Amino acid sequence: MPIDKIVVHWTTASLDSTLATFQSPVAGVSAHYVIDRDGLLYQCVDLDDTAYHAGDFGVNLRSVGIEHVGGPQYDSFTEEQYATTSSLCADISVANNFPLDELHVQGHREIVPTQCPGVLDIPRIVGGVMTDAQMAELKSFIEAQTNVAVQA
């Protein structure tokens, strides 16, 4: 079955605990990727294989699961996590020929009732990540080219 969706999650556990769980043959859960707080990416399941992450077997068969080390114990996700996630999602969508948008990148709670992925900002993931300085530079460029003030 072709991949046509990405489901994003939060771990509510440490990186080590998450990786240990995904390596356990009796855990019954897994994800294709885990992204740590520093933005480092760990692949746990090959993309040709099914990960058990969405809580819906049909969705598991056609989606890529991406876990983010985070949860209620953190105020937010990191800039590094957003940068890694945006790049990874863009690569997955291109490789599998589906648009990078909120219909194809969804939070776990959009599949089954759960709080996961918490405050993870999906529009920011599909829109790419810009630092405040990059956003200011882009706004200045647009204003200089169009003589129109940009509100963001």
Side-chain angles (χ1 to χ4, degrees):
M1 183 170 283
I3 293 171
D4 66 356
K5 183 182 293 296
I6 298 168
V7 181
V8 294
H9 307 266
W10 64 358
T11 62
T12 70
S14 70
L15 174 67
D16 291 340
S17 176
T18 300
L19 294 176
T21 298
F22 289 170
Q23 291 173 354
S24 170
V26 298
V29 295
S30 59
H32 293 93
Y33 297 99
V34 178
I35 300 175
D36 199 5
R37 307 279 305 158
D38 59 7
L40 286 178
L41 177 67
Y42 298 82
Q43 186 166 5
C44 301
V45 176
D46 189 273
L47 289 178
D48 291 333
D49 295 326
T50 301
Y52 296 90
H53 61 94
D56 178 305
F57 187 67
V59 173
N60 288 341
L61 288 173
R62 60 186 182 87
S63 66
V64 173
I66 303 174
E67 292 277 354
H68 298 78
V69 175
Q73 70 271 36
Y74 298 101
D75 290 334
S76 63
F77 293 92
T78 67
E79 296 290 327
E80 294 84 0
Q81 284 176 304
Y82 278 112
T84 300
T85 303
S86 290
S87 177
L88 178 61
C89 287
D91 290 347
I92 293 168
S93 70
V94 168
N96 292 280
N97 198 32
F98 63 82
L100 186 60
D101 58 27
E102 291 179 58
L103 293 174
H104 295 87
V105 179
Q106 296 182 328
H108 188 193
R109 71 174 153 252
E110 295 174 81
I111 310 301
V112 296
T114 179
Q115 291 183 352
C116 178
V119 297
L120 191 62
D121 186 348
I122 295 171
R124 182 174 177 184
I125 291 169
V126 299
V129 177
M130 284 192 188
T131 65
D132 290 341
Q134 289 170 323
M135 181 59 78
E137 184 178 332
L138 177 60
K139 285 169 49 176
S140 294
F141 174 78
I142 293 170
E143 289 171 354
Q145 300 299 312
T146 62
N147 292 322
V148 174
V150 176
Q151 301 292 321

